[in-house]
């Protein structure tokens, strides 16, 4: 049979693709581009625009009926939320067997901190200060996700966030660009491995590009106005770290930045990302952020939004359909070039080739069954959750608890809540798989122990509450605002006040009748995450009243926090004997929390974000500028009249069941050249009676520079495990990368001058040394 010319070309193309060796993320770019060029030469404009389209499936993971026809016609390049090997394979077979060019579909899903096995929320993972643990969590998530047929996750979120009102602070690594960069690299490596075409790996997505975490007033989707200096020194570094780790894709953000929406911003999307950083992967819009350019009022209509976003550098449009609807007309009118469309298609095809989708497009249903919630994955979730917990207070050695307790009360609205520990963005995680705190405690104790559970209070509505006069911790050092006496008065009042009726009264009765009480309080899962900004950081509803009522009894108790942001827990910090920050700890939350409460795990986590005393301090972060009038007890200095300027708990803070001491800080040199480096080292010793972990942290201060610099900057850390009496010397290398900054001309330089170096166990306390950078 004689073939027509178009048919002959298609047959040749199919033979070329079939005969070409599988392409991976590690193969030379020329090999990939040759196959892409062969496809581009055959694609119609409609098919090209189809590759730029991503549509969502249903919440339960099913695809929509229209997806079949769109894929068959080559008009759908990617889906989000469609998941499960069987569902994915059904659509993929249409693409590979019934579409003209046999281009596979790229299936995507928000796998933020686990797929079916849910790990701690990213803010919790960052609290581990453990690169390997964070990478391992992402690796497990990748294995389960890939097994379910999804090969693209919209993670990691690497936005720096310094305003706890912003609900999505839970999705990142906190306030510091260095810690954020370390965690970005770890999570990209975990998701992608060394080659994301491997069957247990997926391609990662650095989001949200960029400055989304700096939304004014902490209100999600709000505007941002940030200098280029701050962008390059605070908000860009975690994204650059993701690129250095090989991240395959980026996501543009919702916010406008300095007057230009980030989903149509040529400076960030092209000048920085493509020209400076040489990124050649996909940039996908956030959910309908292309259409939302109309709401930003930088374009008048849908066609204008499509043209602005695609020209600026957004390759794939999520959910809204403006590229496909208006692309041909924009091209005809000269408002969009063929080269722009082709380059966007090229980036999408490049990612599909690097994933190996052309050669291995289908998911393995047997692998899916074996992977999800496997024993190995659950063990990893439990271990990493325990490593993420931060001991904020432990007076009179209330913790760890004795496993031989005869009776224990577990109270609070979150004590037996299976949904809250999963947090927001739970992947395909399910509440029925969650080990609650109550279940974890029961599993830890003998069957003869009496465990009494009382909810006590409910977290109602959106959790609006107010207790703005609560006493802050260390109030006696409060620069003229001494509220310690007020706290004592409040404690006396509570001791003589009748116990509240209802649930709190029942909780008090349970506490009176048992040896120790655990109070589980915090936020519900819905109070954290996207579109979950809060104007108050207090414990919602009547949870503080519950704590105060238990406290008034005078018996031992510990507060367990479950939350996705720093909270203003001043009264508890001043009065409660023990506080354990557990964040939203995931599927194995109950077991992991119980492991820490009963001492099977010695807590070693540290805060990746500052806890304020009052909402009025926000945004608050350790690496602030000095100002011309640093805060003192003098009137005309930078402080507040009604609360201390210091935080409730500083960045990097966290206690242990043992004690550590740092000593003998040494620098390898007293002077170095601008292109030189030096080693800082310090000895850490476990002076207590238990084995435990300490996170040794290294900070620097540029004493005088041509532009103002932070009072301290984290430049290194190491989590070490020491037995009682054991010592170890921890070493850090400081290079020009750590010492430099962007000057007034936006050039990265290392200026001659004096530097101070601090080694500590948090961002406030520590040892100090100094050196000088001298001219060559």
């Amino acid at each position: 049979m004689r073939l027509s010319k178009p048919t002959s070309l298609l047959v040749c193309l199919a033979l070329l693709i079939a005969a070409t060796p599988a392409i991976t993320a590690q193969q030379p770019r020329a090999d990939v581009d040759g196959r892409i060029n062969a496809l581009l030469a055959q694609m119609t404009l409609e098919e090209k625009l189809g590759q730029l389209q991503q549509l969502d499936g249903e919440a339960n993971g099913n695809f929509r009926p229209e997806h079949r026809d769109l894929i068959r016609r080559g008009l759908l390049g990617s889906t989000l939320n469609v998941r499960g090997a069987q569902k994915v394979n059904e659509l993929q077979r249409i693409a590979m067997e019934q579409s003209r060019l046999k281009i596979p579909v790229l299936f995507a899903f928000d796998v933020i901190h686990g797929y079916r096995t849910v790990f701690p929320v990213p803010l919790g993972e960052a609290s581990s200060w453990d690169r390997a643990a964070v990478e391992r969590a992402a690796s497990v998530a990748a294995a389960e996700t890939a097994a379910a047929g999804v090969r693209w996750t919209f993670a990691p979120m690497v936005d720096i966030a310094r305003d706890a009102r912003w609900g999505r602070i839970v999705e990142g690594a906190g306030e510091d660009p260095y810690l954020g960069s370390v965690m970005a690299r770890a999570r990209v490596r975990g998701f992608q491995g060394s080659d994301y075409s491997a069957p247990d790996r997926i391609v990662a997505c650095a989001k949200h590009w960029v400055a989304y975490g700096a939304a004014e007033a902490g209100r999600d989707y709000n505007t941002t106005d940030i200098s280029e200096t701050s962008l390059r020194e605070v908000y860009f570094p975690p994204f650059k770290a993701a690129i250095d780790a090989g991240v395959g894709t980026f996501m543009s953000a919702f916010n406008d930045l300095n007057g230009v929406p980030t989903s149509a911003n040529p400076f960030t999307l092209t000048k920085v990302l493509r020209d400076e950083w040489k990124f050649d992967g996909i940039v996908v819009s956030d959910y309908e952020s292309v259409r939302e350019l109309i709401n930003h009022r930088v374009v008048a209509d849908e066609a204008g939004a499509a043209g602005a976003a695609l020209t600026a550098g957004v390759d794939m449009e999520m959910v809204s359909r403006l590229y496909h609807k208006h692309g041909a007309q924009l091209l005809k009118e000269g408002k969009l070039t063929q080269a722009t469309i082709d380059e966007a298609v090229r980036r999408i095809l490049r990612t599909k080739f690097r994933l190996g989708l052309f050669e291995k497009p289908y998911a393995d249903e047997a692998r899916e069954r074996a992977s999800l919630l496997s024993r190995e994955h659950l063990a990893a979730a439990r271990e990493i959750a325990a490593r993420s917990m931060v001991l904020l207070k432990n007076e009179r050695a209330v913790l760890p608890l004795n496993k031989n307790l005869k009776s224990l009360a577990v109270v609070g609205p979150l004590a037996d809540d299976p949904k809250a520990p999963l947090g927001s963005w739970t992947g395909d995680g399910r509440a029925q798989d969650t080990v609650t705190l109550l279940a974890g405690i029961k599993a830890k104790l003998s069957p003869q122990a009496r465990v009494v559970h009382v909810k006590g209070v409910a977290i109602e509505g959106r959790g609006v509450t107010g207790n703005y006069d609560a006493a802050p911790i260390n109030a006696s050092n409060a620069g003229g605002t001494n509220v310690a006496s007020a706290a004592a008065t409040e404690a006396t009042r509570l001791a003589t006040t009748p116990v509240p009726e209802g649930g709190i009264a029942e909780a008090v009765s349970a506490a009176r009748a048992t040896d120790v009480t655990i109070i589980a309080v915090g936020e519900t899962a819905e109070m954290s995450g996207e579109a979950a900004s809060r104007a108050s950081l207090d414990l919602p509803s009547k949870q503080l009243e519950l704590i105060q009522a238990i406290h008034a009894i005078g018996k031992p108790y510990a507060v367990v926090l479950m939350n996705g942001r720093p909270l203003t827990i001043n009264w508890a910090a001043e009065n409660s004997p023990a506080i354990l920050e557990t964040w939203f700890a995931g599927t194995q939350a109950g077991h992991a929390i119980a492991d820490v409460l009963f001492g099977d795990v010695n807590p070693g986590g540290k805060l990746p974000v500052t806890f304020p005393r009052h909402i009025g301090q926000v945004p608050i972060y350790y690496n602030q500028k000095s100002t011309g009038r640093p805060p003192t007890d003098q009137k005309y200095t930078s402080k507040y009249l009604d609360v201390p300027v210091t935080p409730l708990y500083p960045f990097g803070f966290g206690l242990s069941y043992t004690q550590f001491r740092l000593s003998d800080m040494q620098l390898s040199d007293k002077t170095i050249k601008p292109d030189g480096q030096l080693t800082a080292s310090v000895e850490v010793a476990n002076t207590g009676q238990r084995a435990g972990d300490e996170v040794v942290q290294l900070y620097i201060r540029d004493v005088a520079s041509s532009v103002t610099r932070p009072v301290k900057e984290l430049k290194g850390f190491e989590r070490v495990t020491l037995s009682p009496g054991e010592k170890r010397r921890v070493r850090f290398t400081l290079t020009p990368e750590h010492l430099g900054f962007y000057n007034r001309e936006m050039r990265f330089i290392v200026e001659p001058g004096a530097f101070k170096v601090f080694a500590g166990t948090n961002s406030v306390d520590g040892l100090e040394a100094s050196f000088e950078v001298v001219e060559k």
Side-chain angles (χ1 to χ4, degrees):
M1 180 178 69
R2 183 177 180 180
L3 300 175
S4 64
K5 185 174 181 180
T7 304
S8 299
L9 287 171
L10 286 174
V11 171
C12 291
L13 176 62
L15 291 173
L16 173 63
I17 292 174
T20 304
I23 289 172
T24 72
Q26 302 303 309
Q27 284 192 282
R29 178 170 176 171
D31 294 346
V32 180
D33 286 348
R35 295 181 69 181
I36 292 171
N37 290 336
L39 271 175
L40 275 171
Q42 300 303 308
M43 296 177 75
T44 66
L45 176 60
E46 191 175 31
E47 287 169 332
K48 290 177 180 179
L49 294 174
Q51 285 300 304
L52 310 187
Q53 182 68 65
Q54 182 181 78
L55 294 178
D56 62 339
E58 298 176 353
N60 61 5
N62 289 332
F63 53 80
R64 301 183 189 279
E66 65 169 331
H67 291 173
R68 292 190 183 93
D69 181 61
L70 290 171
I71 291 171
R72 187 175 294 112
R73 294 161 56 200
L75 303 183
L76 182 58
S78 177
T79 70
L80 71 153
N81 296 330
V82 176
R83 59 195 185 275
Q86 184 177 6
K87 300 167 189 174
V88 164
N89 287 344
E90 182 177 345
L91 286 187
Q92 198 71 285
R93 286 193 180 91
I94 295 173
M96 303 308 293
E97 298 173 7
Q98 299 178 35
S99 71
R100 189 174 77 93
L101 294 178
K102 312 295 187 287
I103 299 174
V105 177
L106 178 52
F107 295 94
F109 189 44
D110 283 283
V111 182
I112 307 303
H113 54 109
Y115 181 73
R116 184 65 184 275
T117 304
V118 180
F119 285 79
V121 290
L123 192 64
E125 287 186 2
S127 298
S128 72
W129 291 58
D130 185 338
R131 303 165 177 83
V134 172
E135 181 174 340
R136 184 182 176 199
S139 178
V140 170
E144 292 194 353
T145 303
V150 174
R151 298 304 306 279
W152 185 13
T153 178
F154 298 133
M157 191 200 89
V158 298
D159 297 297
I160 296 298
R162 294 170 163 180
D163 191 329
R165 293 173 295 183
W166 190 54
R168 301 193 82 168
I169 193 173
V170 69
E171 292 179 50
E175 69 189 45
D176 181 70
Y178 180 85
L179 180 62
S181 296
V182 170
M183 294 303 164
R185 283 189 290 268
R187 301 195 76 215
V188 169
R189 286 194 299 262
F191 286 129
Q192 296 188 170
S194 59
D195 179 359
Y196 53 76
S197 70
D200 59 348
R201 300 293 180 173
I202 58 180
V203 65
C205 181
K207 69 178 189 184
H208 308 82
W209 180 242
V210 59
Y212 180 44
E216 286 187 0
R219 200 175 78 238
D220 211 352
Y221 318 118
N222 204 5
T223 189
T224 58
D225 199 298
I226 302 170
S227 71
E228 185 174 347
T229 299
S230 292
L231 285 173
R232 292 189 178 275
E233 295 197 338
V234 177
Y235 297 97
F236 283 3
F239 288 95
K240 183 57 166 62
I243 284 184
D244 292 342
V247 72
T249 70
F250 262 57
M251 181 187 290
S252 64
F254 289 116
N255 56 291
D256 73 300
L257 174 63
N258 301 335
V260 182
T262 49
S263 286
N265 194 312
F267 171 70
T268 56
L269 292 169
T270 297
K271 182 180 185 299
V272 175
L273 190 56
R274 304 295 189 185
D275 298 342
E276 293 184 23
W277 294 354
K278 310 303 179 187
F279 179 69
D280 67 354
I282 299 172
V283 174
V284 62
S285 78
D286 209 332
Y287 199 101
E288 290 206 326
S289 66
V290 173
R291 185 194 303 277
E292 290 168 11
L293 296 176
I294 301 171
N295 295 340
H296 281 291
R297 304 200 338 267
V298 293
V299 295
D301 52 30
E302 291 182 349
L310 190 50
T311 301
V314 175
D315 305 309
M316 181 178 284
E317 181 181 8
M318 184 188 291
V319 179
S320 54
R321 309 186 188 202
L322 308 190
Y323 286 5
H324 190 267
K325 183 177 179 181
H326 300 285
Q329 187 62 32
L330 289 169
L331 185 63
K332 182 178 180 180
E333 295 174 355
K335 296 178 180 178
L336 188 64
T337 68
Q338 187 65 57
T340 297
I341 295 173
D342 286 354
E343 185 57 35
V345 176
R346 186 182 303 278
R347 293 164 182 158
I348 292 164
L349 294 177
R350 182 181 294 131
T351 300
K352 292 182 177 184
F353 275 117
R354 287 175 173 172
L355 274 166
L357 290 179
F358 283 88
E359 291 75 29
K360 296 181 178 179
Y362 302 117
D364 184 336
E365 295 181 30
R367 179 190 292 270
E368 180 181 34
R369 289 191 295 271
S371 178
L372 303 188
L373 292 175
S374 72
R375 181 178 300 179
E376 178 186 1
H377 293 175
L378 291 173
R382 180 172 181 169
E383 177 185 343
I384 293 168
R387 291 183 72 79
S388 74
M389 294 174 190
V390 184
L391 184 63
L392 297 178
K393 188 177 182 182
N394 192 29
E395 290 185 349
R396 302 187 296 278
V398 169
L399 298 177
L401 300 175
N402 191 325
K403 293 180 185 177
N404 296 320
L405 282 171
K406 294 181 179 180
S407 60
L408 178 71
V410 185
V411 306
L414 303 178
D416 199 33
D417 183 342
K419 186 176 180 182
L422 298 180
S424 63
W425 294 113
T426 57
D428 209 34
R430 300 172 189 180
Q432 63 261 34
D433 301 326
T434 303
V435 179
T436 67
L437 174 58
L438 179 64
I441 287 174
K442 286 182 175 180
K444 191 69 67 174
L445 295 172
S446 71
Q448 291 72 37
R450 185 168 61 92
V451 179
V452 182
H453 169 237
V454 178
K455 190 173 181 179
V457 298
I459 302 178
E460 300 170 349
R462 297 178 180 270
V464 177
T465 187
N467 181 25
Y468 300 113
D469 298 319
I473 194 170
N474 297 330
S476 59
N477 300 322
T481 307
N482 190 339
V483 292
S485 59
T489 301
E490 176 69 359
T492 301
R493 184 189 69 80
L494 287 167
T496 57
T497 298
V499 175
E501 297 295 327
I504 292 181
E506 294 175 8
V508 167
S509 296
R512 288 188 191 277
T514 52
D515 298 326
V516 181
T517 300
I518 300 298
I519 311 175
V521 293
E523 299 177 303
T524 63
E526 294 81 7
M527 290 179 180
S528 184
E530 185 172 355
S533 299
R534 292 184 60 198
S536 168
L537 299 180
D538 294 340
L539 286 169
S541 302
K542 297 183 177 182
Q543 294 181 98
L544 179 58
E545 293 181 29
L546 175 64
I547 297 173
Q548 291 171 331
I550 300 296
H551 176 83
I553 298 172
K555 299 185 71 172
Y557 72 95
V559 174
V560 170
L561 295 174
M562 299 183 190
N563 46 294
R565 53 163 58 83
L567 298 175
T568 45
I569 54 168
N570 304 314
W571 192 93
E574 183 71 22
N575 296 281
S576 297
I579 305 172
L580 180 66
E581 173 61 86
T582 72
W583 308 106
F584 295 126
T587 302
Q588 290 286 293
H591 285 321
I593 298 171
D595 287 342
V596 173
L597 290 177
F598 287 91
D600 291 328
V601 173
N602 191 344
K606 302 284 184 175
L607 294 178
V609 65
T610 300
F611 271 50
R613 299 172 184 273
H614 191 285
I615 192 71
Q617 293 178 298
V618 172
I620 183 171
Y621 45 94
Y622 85 93
N623 45 354
Q624 63 195 18
K625 300 292 185 69
S626 298
T627 80
R629 294 185 175 187
T632 69
D633 57 0
Q634 299 299 310
K635 177 177 175 60
Y636 294 102
T637 59
S638 182
K639 61 181 186 297
Y640 302 101
L641 291 176
D642 47 357
V643 295
V645 71
T646 55
L648 183 64
Y649 294 112
F651 175 86
F653 178 81
L655 302 175
S656 171
Y657 295 153
T658 189
Q659 296 79 44
F660 296 92
R661 183 183 67 245
L662 301 187
S663 63
D664 192 24
M665 184 176 181
Q666 299 177 8
L667 301 182
S668 61
D669 296 281
K670 287 296 184 182
T671 61
I672 61 170
K673 305 296 185 183
D675 60 352
Q677 64 181 41
L678 63 78
T679 299
S681 68
V682 64
E683 187 173 87
V684 55
N686 183 343
T687 60
Q689 303 301 310
R690 288 175 172 265
D693 288 10
E694 182 57 279
V695 179
V696 182
Q697 303 162 38
L698 190 81
Y699 298 85
I700 69 165
R701 176 185 298 160
D702 193 338
V703 176
S705 50
S706 60
V707 297
T708 58
R709 305 293 302 141
V711 294
K712 280 186 179 179
E713 298 174 86
L714 180 70
K715 296 298 179 181
F717 64 88
E718 185 174 345
R719 181 166 176 163
V720 296
T721 303
L722 298 175
S723 299
E726 185 181 359
K727 298 179 181 179
R728 187 178 306 173
R729 181 160 289 276
V730 179
R731 292 176 171 82
F732 304 95
T733 300
L734 291 173
T735 69
E737 176 187 0
H738 301 105
L739 304 178
F741 61 88
Y742 285 89
N743 67 7
R744 299 178 192 184
E745 289 74 41
M746 286 297 107
R747 290 189 299 111
F748 188 82
I749 63 169
V750 177
E751 286 186 345
F755 283 81
K756 291 185 177 181
V757 185
F758 307 89
T761 59
N762 58 65
S763 59
V764 176
D765 306 314
L767 306 176
E768 180 180 330
S770 61
F771 69 95
E772 188 172 0
V773 174
V774 298
E775 294 282 6
K776 292 183 179 180

